[in-house]
């Protein structure tokens, strides 16, 4: 999932920033398209690209899974509730990553710097913010757990939806002298908090885009 989230976001940044580097954003508004209509068209790229990447992952993984399935020995459905939940979580996680890409693209308007800022925040920026919050106050450090990227990442981790998978991950970590994964979040928390972060990022992108000249 991480590869799809990264490559999908990179594609979004390239598509969005090209509107400014090629001056097509300005020309579309001159030709009669309102800023709101233009923004809506660009924002819709996030779920569209997300459906393509999530769908391709599900189809490719499903084909390999079906190839190794003994249908005669099946005792339960091929797709259970936990599988649909992880697919939905993966899609919402992509919307989160894509919303951050949208914000960086419409704020910076140049693919190179926008991609650099997006990668920096995703790779180390959020960890630096969390560390700073923890140094300021322990309570703030606890709240840093709910920063956007960490919240989005909870949605595509399989053990978040399957207790047996979580217990197996803990056991494997202990056997290999690694740090066990953190406790799964309460089921509704990563979904609700992710939607809040997505709304904030998309809303911030809109107001910033509307304020600036093309």
């Amino acid at each position: 999932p991480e590869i799809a989230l990264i490559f999908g976001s990179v594609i979004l940044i390239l598509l969005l920033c090209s509107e400014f580097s090629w001056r097509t954003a300005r020309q579309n508004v001159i030709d009669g398209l309102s800023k709101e209509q233009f923004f809506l068209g660009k924002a819709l790229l996030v779920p569209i690209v997300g459906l393509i990447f999530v769908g391709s992952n599900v189809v490719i993984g499903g084909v390999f899974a079906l190839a190794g399935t003994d249908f005669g020995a099946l005792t339960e459905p091929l797709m259970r509730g936990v599988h649909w939940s992880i697919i939905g979580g993966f899609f919402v996680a992509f919307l989160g990553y894509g919303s951050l890409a949208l914000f960086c693209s419409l704020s910076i308007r140049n693919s190179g710097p926008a991609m650099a800022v997006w990668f920096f925040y995703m790779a180390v920026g959020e960890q630096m913010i969390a560390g700073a919050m923890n140094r300021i106050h322990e309570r703030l450090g606890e709240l840093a757990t709910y920063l956007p990227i960490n919240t989005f990442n909870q949605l595509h981790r399989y053990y978040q939806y399957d207790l047996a998978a979580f217990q197996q991950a803990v056991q494997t970590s202990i056997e290999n002298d690694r740090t066990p994964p953190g406790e799964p979040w309460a089921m509704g928390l990563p979904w609700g908090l992710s939607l809040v972060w997505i709304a904030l990022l998309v809303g911030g992108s809109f107001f910033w885009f509307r304020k600036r000249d093309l």
Side-chain angles (χ1 to χ4, degrees), residues 53-170:
F53 274 85
V54 173
S56 62
N57 272 260
V58 171
V59 170
I60 293 171
V63 168
F64 281 103
L66 287 173
T69 298
D70 182 2
F71 290 93
L74 283 177
T75 58
E76 57 185 27
L78 285 171
M79 294 286 289
R80 295 183 289 119
V82 65
H83 300 123
W84 293 112
S85 295
I86 187 65
I87 291 171
F90 183 20
F91 179 68
V92 175
F94 189 95
L95 294 181
Y97 273 72
S99 297
L100 181 60
L102 176 73
F103 181 81
C104 292
S105 299
L106 297 185
S107 302
I108 301 172
R109 302 188 176 187
N110 187 293
S111 58
M115 206 175 300
V117 170
W118 183 89
F119 268 113
F120 178 81
Y121 181 82
M122 183 200 69
V124 298
E126 189 162 286
Q127 297 175 27
M128 293 172 64
I129 293 173
M133 291 173 68
N134 192 52
R135 284 193 293 272
I136 293 171
H137 197 278
E138 184 178 346
R139 180 66 66 180
L140 277 176
E142 294 175 1
L143 293 176
T145 303
Y146 306 113
L147 288 170
I149 293 298
N150 191 52
T151 300
F152 301 148
N153 285 340
Q154 296 298 320
L155 290 171
H156 64 78
R157 290 171 177 158
Y158 189 81
Y159 66 74
Q160 173 68 35
Y161 306 90
D162 191 331
L163 181 59
F166 172 71
Q167 293 171 342
Q168 180 62 42
V170 171

Side-chain angles (χ1 to χ4, degrees), residues 5-75:
L5 294 171
I6 292 171
F7 276 96
S9 298
V10 168
I11 288 174
L12 281 171
I13 291 172
L14 293 173
L15 289 172
L16 292 165
C17 289
S18 66
E19 295 283 358
F20 301 100
S21 60
W22 289 94
R23 307 292 184 185
T24 51
R26 181 172 179 273
Q27 188 61 47
N28 283 328
V29 173
I30 291 173
D31 290 341
L33 201 65
S34 69
K35 277 191 171 184
E36 290 78 9
Q37 291 171 326
F38 178 84
F39 177 84
L40 179 61
K42 299 303 107 179
L44 286 174
L45 282 173
V46 177
I48 290 171
V49 174
L51 285 172
I52 293 172
F53 274 85
V54 173
S56 62
N57 272 260
V58 171
V59 170
I60 293 171
V63 168
F64 281 103
L66 287 173
T69 298
D70 182 2
F71 290 93
L74 283 177
T75 58

